[in-house]
Amino acid sequence: MNDADINFYFDPLCPFAWMTSKWVRKIAAQRDYTVDWRFISLRMLNADVDYDSRFPAGYEAGHTAGLRLLRVAARTRAEHGRQAVGPLYEAIGTQAFDSAAALALGPGEQGSREFVEPLLERAGLPAGLADGLDDASRDGELRAETDEALALTGRDVGTPIIHFGPPDGTAFFGPVISRLPSDQDALRLWDHVVGLAAFPGFAELKRSLRERPQLHSFGVNPGETGIQEDWHGGSRHLKKLRPGTPAASGRNSGPVRGSGRRAVRTRTLQGRMGTSRSRRCGSPRTSGSSSASTPRPPSATPPSGHG
């Protein structure tokens, strides 16, 4: 039986899911929430997609490596309990995105036994669980959990998906963040996200402009601000930027240091129905000002007076 305060659906090699998971861990520690770390496979989400025409180079290999790591996570859960998934995800994400070697890691390496065995040991688990990398018998379980996540949000989303106050609470894709907030700001952001999620009829707040995340795998160190780019469906499309912006001008080789002021200020607030497209990693979402309240994750039951 799952009595978690939050269900967090992740693909282990989605960098934006990893950023959001680090924020959620801060919240869980400060609010004494429990998190059930669940699975969603970007490779399965895009099983019918022509990667060559819909994705930048390397995405298929990356999504496949994520699927292989999810098989290991599923075996870990089956043999060592749900509580073992969080430490394993933390070990994988730290190595894949925050380690000194992260920038040089290729997707083929990330889906390998050489990559995952020491991470299993770091998480206090047997290295032999790496046998699960090639165990396609786990795919039915992963597909069912992926479908479970999409049943909560609709299919035109990516990773991560957060289910607030399960089983009756609401669920949303995101929020997608590029910077890891301080402990205090993490709480402020959480309260605003929870407030939006609890509002009856709220569906989407979105912008496609985003900074590269503060991860070594993107060449952005803590305290630095990644360059801002225009992302479509979860991947960078620099040619979409207006002429004269730093990325469109080719000045996009590294992070921006200092104030973090945005080079492009266009924002879009849109509420739309899902369309048929490829599902990728992350989609931006914003938050507002601070809140003094400290609510538990919201129920899906509308407040009195709302339909």
Side-chain angles (χ1 to χ4, degrees), residues 11 30 42 52 65 79 96 123 131 139 146-147 155 159 181 195 211 221 224 250 259 294 299:
D11 184 295
Q30 295 181 81
L42 287 168
D52 290 338
E79 297 183 10
D131 292 343
D139 290 1
T146 296
D147 289 342
R155 300 195 67 85
T159 58
E211 299 167 358
N221 296 315
E224 296 178 341
S259 67
T294 56
S299 167

Side-chain angles (χ1 to χ4, degrees), residues 15 19 96-105 178 211-227 229 231 236 252-257:
M19 282 296 297
F97 301 115
D98 288 327
S99 70
L103 193 59
L105 283 173
S178 293
E211 299 167 358
R212 291 189 183 181
Q214 286 178 336
L215 299 172
H216 286 304
S217 59
F218 279 77
V220 184
N221 296 315
E224 296 178 341
T225 300
I227 62 168
E229 301 164 317
W231 290 59
R236 299 188 297 275
N252 60 353
S253 58
V256 177
R257 302 173 188 268

Side-chain angles (χ1 to χ4, degrees), residues 5-6 20-37 186-187 190 296-297:
D5 296 300
I6 304 162
T20 303
S21 78
K22 293 199 292 183
W23 166 64
V24 166
R25 290 179 192 274
K26 281 177 171 275
I27 299 302
Q30 295 181 81
R31 293 278 172 84
D32 196 28
Y33 291 166
T34 57
V35 182
D36 188 28
W37 302 97
L187 293 174
W190 176 261
R296 303 294 287 181

Side-chain angles (χ1 to χ4, degrees), residues 164-252:
F164 304 91
D168 299 321
T170 191
F172 275 95
F173 164 37
V176 173
I177 55 176
S178 293
R179 309 183 197 184
L180 184 64
S182 66
D183 288 349
Q184 182 178 2
D185 285 343
L187 293 174
R188 294 172 58 202
L189 177 58
W190 176 261
D191 290 337
H192 291 301
V193 170
V194 167
L196 287 173
F199 188 81
F202 176 77
E204 183 172 21
L205 178 68
K206 184 174 182 178
R207 51 183 267 138
S208 64
L209 295 172
R210 69 175 75 167
E211 299 167 358
R212 291 189 183 181
Q214 286 178 336
L215 299 172
H216 286 304
S217 59
F218 279 77
V220 184
N221 296 315
E224 296 178 341
T225 300
I227 62 168
Q228 185 170 249
E229 301 164 317
D230 200 353
W231 290 59
H232 294 263
S235 68
R236 299 188 297 275
H237 289 257
L238 303 185
K239 65 182 180 181
K240 300 288 186 180
L241 284 175
R242 297 176 299 171
T245 65
S249 303
R251 289 173 282 138
N252 60 353

Side-chain angles (χ1 to χ4, degrees), residues 14 17 46-47 50 55 57 73 75 94-95 149 159 161 166 172 176 188 207 215 226 241:
C14 172
N46 294 285
D50 180 0
F55 286 98
R75 179 175 176 181
T94 299
Q95 185 66 20
T159 58
I161 289 174
F172 275 95
V176 173
R188 294 172 58 202
R207 51 183 267 138
L215 299 172
L241 284 175

Side-chain angles (χ1 to χ4, degrees), residues 133-154:
L133 287 166
D134 297 307
D135 184 5
S137 70
R138 299 285 176 186
D139 290 1
E141 175 186 357
L142 297 174
R143 189 172 291 105
E145 203 145 302
T146 296
D147 289 342
E148 172 187 296
L150 297 180
L152 296 168
T153 60

